[in-house]
Amino acid sequence: MKYVDEYRDPELAEGVVSAIREKSRTPVRFMEVCGTHTVAIFRSGLKELLPETVTLISGPGCPVCVTAPEDIDRVIMLCRQPEVTVATFGDLMRVPGSDSSLHQEKARGADVRMVYASFDALELARKHKDRMIVMLGIGFETTIPTIAAALHQARQEGLENFLVFSAHKLLPPALDALLSAEEVHIDGFLCPGHVTTIIGTNPYQKVVNRYGKPCAISGFEPVDILQSLYILISQIEEARCEVEIQYTRAVRPEGNPRAREMMDEVFEHAEGLWRGLGPIPQSGLMLREKYRAHAAESHYDLTVPPAGEMPGCRCGEVLRGVCTPPECDLFRKRCTPTDPYGPCMVSSEGTCAAYFKYHPE
Amino acid sequence: MCLAIPAKIVNIEDGMGTVDMAGVQKKVSLILLEDAQVGDYVIVHAGFGIHKIDEEVAMESLRILREAAHLLDVEDPAGPDEVTVTGFGTEEGDS
């Protein structure tokens, strides 16, 4: 596969590993922010290739995992409305709210459809004018423009039965929140490639300027990740601190302005509620006044009580990089991929699921 | 969630493209791209093209990577004479 196989080349990987070994002197802890990176790191076994000086910790970049239980409860309320069809990306189906999941609700008869793209949900709205189609807006900056584009189209077509429930999250404010909490020591970030394809490098400047933590924007193949680690290690050994793009084939410094315009046309910033991290200012999105008629909360009262803690579940700490999966008493016992308890085991990109799959007992 | 396999555009009709992704054909919206054309490789996320790959940038970054991994003399018949960058720095990404 073009632009892929080159970055899976074992000889090339070996070369980069040697370069890392030569360069690395100072013990460092880097956080891979993105769930897709977490899975790639576990699957390729590249942690085993790294010198002892380099530790990788997983962060809050699995969109399904960081969705607050209160938001799942709101989604459950929505799918229980007789005229509502919920359209969602598949990963969210099994994520637990306070007392149910979309999967359980579907089994009880709720109309829940898995879609491949937001335009599939638009098509449902065109075909079923007697139904209210609610697209679930879960995801980071990579997904947000795709939901925005559907809302833009719905407004143009006057599709009044196309609604969005926006639980979107913005990643840079979460990095800010992690660093300002000072709960976990991080020397640099392996930053998400496709989020940065959209937002560009500018939003990471705060991490660099205020906190002095290097950022490498990384692709998803093993050689990409190794090269990004080399970039971070080089910066630390050379006492530099910058945002550097490793994933140049997919990321421009300015990002994708057209996609950002689409986001800004439809959404405005609001407080975001994160599982594990709590409320973070300016990290969420709500529909602008012009689009408010397409907001699920404009049609339904989605007030829910605060969700209680899930007894024993340490997903919050896992998402903050404070705890690793085996340190949780439920891991591999009460909580497994076939019968998951916490969201980090539910999602295929969750740290616990990746750990379970690639670290045999 | 992030599908990192670039897809080749094989057809465009009314702003919707058909892409080939490792042999699988899919419908993709091209509305978020400036100037996508048939034959271009694009990064696809949730059914939308979000980035068009610049072939030159991709090849250049790979060349620098190989050089830094001490493999260029094996991989590239152009030889090391033309190479001036020795690190993994990504200055070339700004071009």
Side-chain angles (χ1 to χ4, degrees):
Chain A
M1 286 177 285
K2 195 170 177 182
Y3 303 122
V4 174
D5 293 341
E6 305 90 310
Y7 295 90
R8 293 178 182 172
D9 176 0
E11 198 183 358
L12 196 50
E14 212 173 289
V16 186
V17 169
S18 306
I20 287 175
R21 288 184 172 276
E22 274 169 37
K23 193 84 183 176
S24 180
R25 294 284 172 272
T26 319
V28 282
R29 286 161 60 87
F30 298 135
M31 175 176 275
E32 89 271 0
V33 177
C34 170
T36 312
H37 280 150
T38 300
V39 173
I41 288 165
F42 282 128
R43 186 173 49 211
S44 62
L46 64 79
K47 273 188 186 181
E48 316 303 319
L49 304 174
L50 296 173
E52 280 179 11
T53 41
V54 182
T55 304
L56 295 180
I57 49 178
S58 304
C62 157
V64 163
C65 306
V66 296
T67 299
E70 287 85 350
D71 281 329
I72 302 293
D73 290 344
R74 292 185 178 99
V75 166
I76 301 297
M77 282 175 89
L78 281 166
C79 79
R80 286 178 178 168
Q81 308 297 319
E83 71 283 9
V84 164
T85 296
V86 163
T88 179
F89 298 124
D91 249 15
L92 200 68
M93 292 294 288
R94 287 175 183 271
V95 178
S98 295
D99 63 0
S100 185
S101 68
L102 278 174
H103 183 74
Q104 286 170 302
E105 293 299 313
K106 188 176 165 76
R108 289 180 196 135
D111 189 2
V112 181
R113 315 273 183 101
M114 278 185 271
V115 292
Y116 150 72
S118 61
F119 49 74
D120 293 335
L122 268 185
E123 194 53 31
L124 285 173
R126 290 187 195 107
K127 276 194 188 146
H128 305 284
K129 289 279 168 52
D130 56 327
R131 307 281 303 165
M132 295 300 264
I133 309 300
V134 183
M135 175 81 210
L136 302 184
I138 307 287
F140 298 117
E141 289 90 335
T142 332
T143 311
I144 296 163
T146 75
I147 305 290
L151 278 162
H152 187 251
Q153 181 68 24
R155 186 170 179 272
Q156 279 190 333
E157 288 182 32
L159 274 177
E160 290 173 6
N161 64 329
F162 178 81
L163 309 182
V164 165
F165 174 73
S166 174
H168 293 296
K169 305 275 186 291
L170 304 173
L171 258 180
L175 302 188
D176 193 3
L178 275 176
L179 289 168
S180 67
E182 293 181 350
E183 189 183 19
V184 55
H185 179 82
I186 300 167
D187 294 302
F189 288 100
L190 200 70
C191 297
H194 291 167
V195 161
T196 317
T197 299
I198 305 295
I199 66 176
T201 52
N202 204 34
Y204 301 102
Q205 283 304 330
K206 191 173 180 185
V207 172
V208 165
N209 297 340
R210 179 183 288 186
Y211 299 102
K213 307 296 180 189
C215 292
I217 316 298
S218 181
F220 299 94
E221 299 303 330
V223 174
D224 287 318
I225 293 170
L226 287 169
Q227 189 185 7
S228 300
L229 293 173
Y230 182 85
I231 285 172
L232 292 174
I233 290 162
S234 300
Q235 287 198 27
I236 284 172
E237 296 299 338
E238 293 160 18
R240 291 183 292 120
C241 183
E242 298 158 22
V243 185
E244 277 188 63
I245 305 172
Q246 177 278 328
Y247 195 29
T248 51
R249 62 193 186 282
V251 176
R252 280 186 284 265
E254 71 276 19
N256 180 338
R258 194 174 167 118
R260 283 204 307 277
E261 274 165 30
M262 187 64 90
M263 276 171 71
D264 291 343
E265 157 72 18
V266 174
F267 292 109
E268 59 186 299
H269 290 195
E271 183 178 86
L273 184 60
W274 298 59
R275 194 188 295 251
L277 284 81
I280 302 177
Q282 303 291 302
S283 71
L285 291 175
M286 59 190 274
L287 277 71
R288 288 190 187 279
E289 185 64 42
K290 198 171 147 187
Y291 288 87
R292 205 64 59 79
H294 293 283
E297 62 271 26
S298 299
H299 297 259
Y300 301 98
D301 179 9
L302 299 178
T303 314
V304 295
E309 294 285 313
M310 291 171 66
C313 179
R314 298 184 71 183
C315 278
E317 291 163 88
V318 170
L319 290 165
R320 297 198 300 277
V322 176
C323 143
T324 61
E327 292 175 90
C328 175
D329 287 339
L330 304 182
F331 183 72
R332 276 194 218 280
K333 298 182 187 91
R334 166 64 190 86
C335 192
T336 63
T338 44
D339 186 16
Y341 184 70
C344 298
M345 187 63 92
V346 173
S347 169
S348 58
E349 300 216 321
T351 305
C352 297
Y355 206 100
F356 187 97
K357 190 166 177 188
Y358 298 107
H359 287 74
E361 208 167 352
Chain B
M1 196 76 175
C2 293
L3 187 59
I5 299 172
K8 187 178 186 178
I9 302 176
V10 293
N11 186 40
I12 299 178
E13 225 168 291
D14 300 330
M16 288 296 284
T18 304
V19 297
D20 183 288
M21 204 181 291
V24 180
Q25 297 221 331
K26 287 214 166 205
K27 283 270 177 231
V28 168
S29 168
L30 302 175
I31 195 172
L32 300 176
L33 298 174
E34 295 276 347
D35 56 348
Q37 288 169 13
V38 171
D40 287 341
Y41 278 83
V42 291
I43 302 285
V44 175
H45 184 84
F48 286 70
I50 56 167
H51 179 86
K52 184 178 111 173
I53 293 182
D54 182 325
E55 170 114 35
E56 261 179 51
V57 170
M59 289 301 118
E60 176 65 4
S61 64
L62 191 58
R63 192 183 65 82
I64 290 168
L65 170 62
R66 284 182 172 147
E67 154 69 6
H70 312 296
L71 292 169
L72 187 75
D73 47 340
V74 186
E75 299 283 328
D76 189 342
D81 287 347
E82 295 170 18
V83 175
T84 51
V85 184
T86 52
F88 277 143
T90 52
E91 300 88 329
E92 78 285 0
D94 295 345
S95 61

